[in-house]
Amino acid sequence: MSTPYVLHYAPDNASLIVRLVLEELRLPYKTRLVDRAAREQEGDAFRQINPAGLIPALETPHGVMFETAAIVLWLADTQGRMAPAPDAPERAAFLSHLFFASNTLHAQLRMIYYPEKYVGPDPEAQAQLRHRLQQPSAQVMTLRNALALMDEWAMARGDDPVVEPTVLDYYLAAVIRWCGLYPEGHTDWFDLNEYPALLTLGEDLEIRPAVHAAIKAEGLGPAPFTNPRYPQPPEGSAT
């Protein structure tokens, strides 16, 4: 019997979130490396899989999916785990925060990783964009504001240890990892201790078998969320 899921991934990319969810759900899957060093994600072959040219993509029995939030929500719903049921009272707030994490928080991280895509080649303009996104603001939703909002969401869950993570939990854990690592030399704005509920969430997740599997597969280090290190993957590269 063939494996129903194939994850097109690169180490320590958004595909990490999908890997963590697949592992948590104990679903059999294969991986296919997307060679970022060769810019494979921009080539015609990969765009036949994901027309957006972004990592990840997931082959499923119902066709290929892309967009991280869509993939992990679909997995949760089809498996009946890791997200409130469609008719659950808490579903509305969960979806709001999941898509906020994807459409606002994660999207703004991409801006600071690749400022040239948004403001062009001028280094001063790139620095201004990073600075604007990394500072708190009373007028616009910046990264600091967004992280504070998600910290409040995590705090509202209470002090009990995570019994079964949601897909949003893993999304946020990956985000706090990336805030502490990327882009190299531009992370002094971020201090995880300012977000105690997200810190606790990361600590809770780091003991889970799903995270240990991802650590091994992508060379993430022993505390990938709360004390992140640059990955040393057995194949491929993160950038």
Side-chain angles (χ1 to χ4, degrees):
M1 181 178 176
S2 62
T3 302
Y5 303 105
V6 179
L7 175 62
H8 297 259
Y9 90 105
D12 211 12
N13 279 232
S15 50
L16 172 62
I17 302 167
V18 181
R19 182 193 291 275
L20 288 164
V21 171
L22 288 166
E23 290 286 348
E24 187 68 41
L25 292 170
R26 299 183 181 179
L27 294 173
Y29 67 99
K30 295 179 181 178
T31 58
R32 290 183 183 166
L33 178 70
V34 181
D35 187 352
R36 289 205 52 168
R39 304 177 75 89
E40 186 179 352
Q41 72 274 18
E42 300 174 8
D44 291 340
F46 185 70
R47 285 183 182 273
Q48 293 297 314
I49 299 167
N50 181 355
L54 298 171
I55 302 166
L58 183 70
E59 296 181 41
T60 81
H62 303 290
V64 179
M65 296 189 68
F66 58 96
E67 288 298 310
T68 303
I71 294 170
V72 296
L73 180 60
W74 181 84
L75 287 169
D77 284 351
T78 56
Q79 299 300 312
R81 292 174 51 199
M82 298 190 71
D87 60 349
E90 61 270 26
R91 174 78 168 195
F94 173 83
L95 289 181
S96 294
H97 286 81
L98 174 63
F99 283 91
F100 178 84
S102 173
N103 296 346
T104 300
L105 183 51
H106 194 176
Q108 289 189 351
L109 284 177
R110 282 186 53 81
M111 289 183 180
I112 66 170
Y113 300 158
Y114 312 109
E116 71 281 359
K117 294 180 182 291
Y118 300 93
V119 296
D122 180 20
E124 183 176 347
Q126 294 176 16
Q128 288 177 351
L129 175 62
R130 285 195 176 112
H131 178 77
R132 179 63 169 164
L133 290 175
Q134 291 168 349
Q135 301 305 311
S137 172
Q139 289 78 39
V140 296
M141 181 60 69
T142 67
L143 279 167
R144 283 182 182 265
N145 297 79
L147 286 165
L149 188 154
M150 299 311 298
D151 193 61
E152 291 177 4
W153 164 258
M155 193 174 298
R157 296 180 52 157
D159 297 329
D160 294 337
V162 173
V163 176
E164 178 176 79
T166 68
V167 296
L168 176 55
D169 293 333
Y170 276 128
Y171 210 130
L172 294 176
V175 163
I176 61 174
R177 169 180 171 77
W178 299 328
C179 286
L181 288 179
Y182 306 110
E184 188 172 359
H186 295 280
T187 60
D188 57 348
W189 67 277
F190 177 72
D191 181 357
L192 183 54
N193 292 304
E194 294 180 6
Y195 311 101
L198 293 178
L199 172 59
T200 298
L201 175 65
E203 291 172 337
D204 287 348
L205 294 179
E206 283 171 345
I207 66 173
R208 299 192 68 81
V211 176
H212 294 169
I215 287 171
K216 181 178 180 180
E218 302 195 14
L220 302 180
F225 310 133
T226 61
N227 187 23
R229 303 176 184 176
Y230 291 108
Q232 296 182 328
E235 64 173 2
S237 75
T239 59

